[in-house]
């Protein structure tokens, strides 16, 4: 059930056999079948969950790509540079006075987060390890998830069937300092 999944939380979890990392007050837990790559330079730190692919330099692995991204001088430059890569990933960036989390452009590696923006996971069910999900009682939400979601299994916007769990939309990032979700693409 939890193969190739992740949880990012301030809570300590039993992480037997899972890869772990720590950044600021967050613990990162990643299933062993999902790649976790870290890189840092001076005060800048990146954690990559999943994979990035460089079609120009296919011999470059996740670590090479992260090291290349570390040469950026601003978070805006990161957004420009990452545009040249493909992949299914979540990238956590701490640096340039920013602390952000975002996923690949098509949101193949999904991110769900609680309404306090303190806990993150690859599926709502995993968030139940650190929060108590509350079923949304809004009749329109109930109708949508009963009629549409059961057929497609696609989260198409920021809402889920839980009132206290949100879905990170494609081309958006979560600002962990300001506790907000913001659009970053298109750049202009």
């Amino acid at each position: 059930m939890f193969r190739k999944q992740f949880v990012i939380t301030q809570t300590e979890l039993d992480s037997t056999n899972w890869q772990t990392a720590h950044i600021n007050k967050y613990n990162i837990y990643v299933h062993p079948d999902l790649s976790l790559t870290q890189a840092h330079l001076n005060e800048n730190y990146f954690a990559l969950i999943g994979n990035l692919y460089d079609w120009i330099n296919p011999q470059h692995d996740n670590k090479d790509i992260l090291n290349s991204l570390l040469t950026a001088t601003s978070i805006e430059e990161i957004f420009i540079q990452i545009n040249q890569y493909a992949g299914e990933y979540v990238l956590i960036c701490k640096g340039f006075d920013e602390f952000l989390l975002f996923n690949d452009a098509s949101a193949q590696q999904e991110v769900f987060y609680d309404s306090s923006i303190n806990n993150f996971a690859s599926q709502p069910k995993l968030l139940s390890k650190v929060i108590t999900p509350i079923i949304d009682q809004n009749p329109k939400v109930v109708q949508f998830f009963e009629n549409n979601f059961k057929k497609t299994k696609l989260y198409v916007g920021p809402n889920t069937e839980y009132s206290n769990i949100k879905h990170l939309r494609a081309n958006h990032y979560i600002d962990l300092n300001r506790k907000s979700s913001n659009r970053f693409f298109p750049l202009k």
Side-chain angles (χ1 to χ4, degrees):
M1 169 172 49
F2 298 124
R3 216 171 150 249
K4 294 191 174 187
Q5 305 298 316
F6 68 87
V7 177
I8 303 166
T9 181
Q10 296 175 26
T11 305
E12 294 279 336
L13 298 176
D14 176 16
S15 59
T16 307
N17 301 324
W18 281 47
Q19 304 169 81
T20 60
H22 187 81
I23 179 170
N24 279 21
K25 54 190 173 188
Y26 291 96
N27 300 302
I28 303 169
Y29 301 96
V30 179
H31 187 273
D33 290 344
L34 185 60
S35 178
L36 172 63
T37 309
Q38 302 173 70
H40 62 88
L41 178 65
N42 302 322
E43 299 299 312
N44 300 332
Y45 169 86
F46 293 167
L48 175 69
I49 301 169
N51 293 294
L52 280 166
Y53 305 105
D54 185 342
W55 65 276
I56 297 171
N57 301 292
Q59 72 279 9
H60 287 182
D61 62 12
N62 287 334
K63 188 75 164 183
D64 295 328
I65 294 169
L66 285 185
N67 285 332
S68 173
L69 291 172
L70 280 170
T71 65
T73 58
S74 68
I75 204 67
E76 291 79 16
E77 195 174 322
I78 296 290
F79 291 146
I80 292 168
Q81 286 185 21
I82 203 139
N83 204 23
Q84 68 185 316
Y85 303 114
E88 65 290 326
Y89 61 87
V90 172
L91 185 61
I92 303 163
C93 301
K94 175 83 173 101
F96 318 109
D97 297 321
E98 302 285 350
F99 190 19
L100 309 178
L101 177 151
F102 62 95
N103 54 358
D104 56 271
S106 61
Q108 292 181 67
Q109 185 65 62
E110 292 186 289
V111 176
F112 297 88
Y113 58 97
D114 68 341
S115 52
S116 67
I117 310 183
N118 285 321
N119 300 286
F120 312 87
S122 49
Q123 55 179 281
K125 193 170 191 173
L126 265 174
L127 277 176
S128 69
K129 299 282 185 191
V130 293
I131 68 164
T132 302
I134 301 168
I135 298 288
D136 197 322
Q137 300 299 319
N138 179 316
K140 289 182 179 182
V141 172
V142 171
Q143 180 183 11
F144 174 81
F145 280 96
E146 284 181 359
N147 295 332
N148 298 323
F149 182 76
K150 285 185 179 180
K151 295 175 193 170
T152 64
K153 302 290 186 210
L154 291 173
Y155 289 93
V156 294
N159 297 323
T160 69
E161 63 268 44
Y162 304 102
S163 61
N164 62 336
I165 297 178
K166 298 295 182 191
H167 177 246
L168 182 61
R169 292 180 283 173
N171 301 311
H172 284 69
Y173 66 87
I174 294 173
D175 185 322
L176 296 166
N177 290 331
R178 294 172 189 84
K179 303 290 186 191
S180 63
S181 174
N182 305 287
R183 188 173 180 93
F184 72 87
F185 189 84
L187 297 171
K188 294 189 182 212

